[in-house]
Amino acid sequence: MTDLNTRAETLRALHSGEMLVLPNVWDAASAEVVAQAGFPAIATASAAVSAMLGYPDGEGAPWREMFAAASRVARAVSLPVTVDAEAGYGLAPREFVDRLLETGAVGCNLEDTDHRTGELIDAGAHAQRLADIRSAATGAGVAIVVNARVDAFLGDRRIPEPERLAEAIRRGRLYREAGADCVYPIGMRRRDDVAALVTELACPVNGNVGEELDVAALRALGVARVSYGPRFYRAALEGFRAAIGKL
């Protein structure tokens, strides 16, 4: 537990210095590639991990298989690992924390989508769950790093586009107050929206590289953390597909 807590504090500190860049991985081999390249932490991508296991994204894979994959990633490197845990798989807060720590990971993404319905979870209810997970982590003796994903900008969540920024800010504030270390507005692609959210939340924000927003642009906007989701997994698979086509 002492080693895990040290790694958790290291991961948390990485959110307040130079922008933390996380090329998401899906297995032990890809984790080793990222570690050997000199990145200071490792992050999994649920879409990539579930696809590698043969399941659809969105909690289509059994949580035990997802956490087993995370364990293999954590064993392969000597760096802090944060797991894309989707919406938490319906696990009770203490069980979720215990199972996460058993993998050797010290951080997690938790999103505010109910995968049974595809709709956003009530913001207050999700904030309470985050608070309960923070309390459970305190009880377990490891201050895990929680990256609270806000899904308001995903088009299938039925929030009118003009209302998405305000809703993302509202949710981000609630999640931060509940104990989240970082807020992750996935799908946010406009420079002005990112700037407004970073200013309004005044806390670490996770961004995604897109057509308008490269790493340098996100850094200039004050984004603390950048992740890539399943992008590198899909690129690797495409490279394999092209090689097989030539063969």
Side-chain angles (χ1 to χ4, degrees):
M1 284 298 184
T2 300
D3 182 55
L4 288 176
N5 205 41
T6 298
R7 292 190 183 195
E9 291 307 321
T10 297
L11 179 59
R12 181 171 288 102
L14 288 169
H15 289 72
S16 59
E18 181 70 14
M19 187 171 70
L20 175 60
V21 179
L22 296 170
N24 300 77
V25 308
W26 56 93
D27 62 7
S30 57
E32 288 176 337
V33 169
V34 172
Q36 289 165 6
F39 288 88
I42 303 293
T44 68
S46 66
V49 175
S50 58
M52 179 266 296
L53 293 172
Y55 297 96
D57 192 23
E59 298 197 344
W63 69 265
R64 287 181 175 83
E65 292 195 40
M66 295 294 283
F67 278 17
S71 295
R72 292 190 287 273
V73 166
R75 285 200 303 269
V77 297
S78 57
L79 296 171
V81 172
T82 180
V83 171
D84 184 350
E86 302 182 87
Y89 308 107
L91 298 172
R94 183 56 192 260
E95 183 178 11
F96 174 81
V97 169
D98 287 347
R99 300 293 83 79
L100 179 72
L101 294 176
E102 283 176 0
T103 71
V106 294
C108 62
N109 280 14
L110 286 168
E111 59 203 44
D112 57 0
T113 291
D114 182 341
H115 290 291
R116 297 166 299 178
T117 65
E119 301 292 332
L120 284 171
I121 300 169
D122 174 79
H126 190 64
Q128 184 59 57
R129 177 165 171 77
L130 292 175
D132 291 343
I133 287 172
R134 171 58 63 209
S135 177
T138 300
V142 179
I144 63 171
V145 177
V146 176
N147 190 32
R149 204 179 90 175
V150 178
D151 291 356
F153 275 83
L154 297 182
D156 56 351
R157 299 309 186 265
R158 301 182 185 177
I159 296 179
E161 188 166 350
E163 300 174 15
R164 291 178 182 176
L165 176 59
E167 180 63 9
I169 291 171
R170 183 179 79 89
R171 287 174 174 265
R173 284 174 175 159
L174 286 172
Y175 302 164
R176 178 66 169 170
E177 291 168 3
D181 298 281
C182 186
V183 175
Y184 178 16
I186 191 171
M188 182 179 279
R189 294 180 175 86
R190 292 178 49 199
R191 185 184 300 263
D192 290 347
D193 288 343
V194 174
L197 190 133
V198 168
T199 298
E200 291 294 329
L201 294 185
C203 74
V205 170
N206 190 142
N208 292 125
V209 172
E211 292 182 4
E212 295 184 25
L213 296 166
D214 59 14
V215 169
L218 290 168
R219 181 184 290 113
L221 291 169
V223 168
R225 165 174 166 163
V226 171
S227 54
Y228 291 80
R231 180 178 303 189
F232 293 114
Y233 167 77
R234 290 170 179 165
L237 201 61
E238 194 56 41
F240 181 58
R241 182 178 291 110
I244 293 301
K246 291 180 181 179
L247 181 62

